[in-house]
Amino acid sequence: MLMLADLAADAGAALAYSAVGIVLMAVGFGVVDLLTPGDLRAQIWIERNSNAAILLASNLFGVGIIVAVAIWTSEGKIAEALLSSAIYGVIGLAAMAVAFVLLDALTPGDFRAVVADGEPHPAVWVTASAHVAVALVVAAGLT
């Protein structure tokens, strides 16, 4: 039977993991906003730009994957999970940013402009997939 102290400890851990994940997602939002032209908030919530939304969603999903795997592989060691979530989360965000810049450099046209364009573009799905793939690679480094 789960004791009240165990429940409180687990709830505290969940709050701490959530805080780290939310901070990393906020940083991820900032990275995507920095790498794309214009105001990302306005593009998604006011202009309803699906290209920008897909790109941001893939970044946030990638961060979630990394944090979840860090927690999963920590074997109940809360401090270790929080630290590895933070470290690997930052590594993942940096790797996703590098992948974004490399794809932009290696493909025809200006991908940054594609993201800002309100017209749906298939290249956004390629970059979004790269974000998730990079996150999976970083998460695999935790095991």
Side-chain angles (χ1 to χ4, degrees):
M1 187 164 125
L2 191 62
M3 303 296 287
L4 189 54
D6 292 336
L7 182 61
D10 290 346
L15 286 171
Y17 296 141
S18 296
V20 169
I22 290 167
V23 166
L24 287 168
M25 286 187 256
V27 171
F29 182 97
V31 169
V32 173
D33 194 21
L34 180 68
L35 291 174
T36 56
D39 180 358
L40 188 61
R41 286 177 205 86
Q43 287 182 40
I44 295 171
W45 281 274
I46 297 170
E47 299 166 21
R48 305 177 80 152
N49 180 331
S50 62
N51 291 331
I54 291 166
L55 187 65
L56 178 61
S58 69
N59 185 282
L60 299 177
F61 185 62
V63 169
I65 289 169
I66 294 166
V67 172
V69 172
I71 294 166
W72 187 288
T73 59
S74 69
E75 299 175 354
K77 300 172 188 159
I78 296 170
E80 179 183 318
L82 291 171
L83 183 60
S84 62
S85 293
I87 291 169
Y88 281 85
V90 169
I91 290 169
L93 287 170
M96 285 185 256
V98 168
F100 179 91
V101 171
L102 281 175
L103 273 172
D104 189 25
L106 297 173
T107 54
D110 180 10
F111 182 72
R112 290 169 34 97
V114 166
V115 173
D117 188 0
E119 186 68 30
H121 197 290
V124 172
W125 288 102
V126 174
T127 304
S129 297
H131 278 197
V132 174
V134 166
L136 288 169
V137 169
V138 172
L142 285 157
T143 59

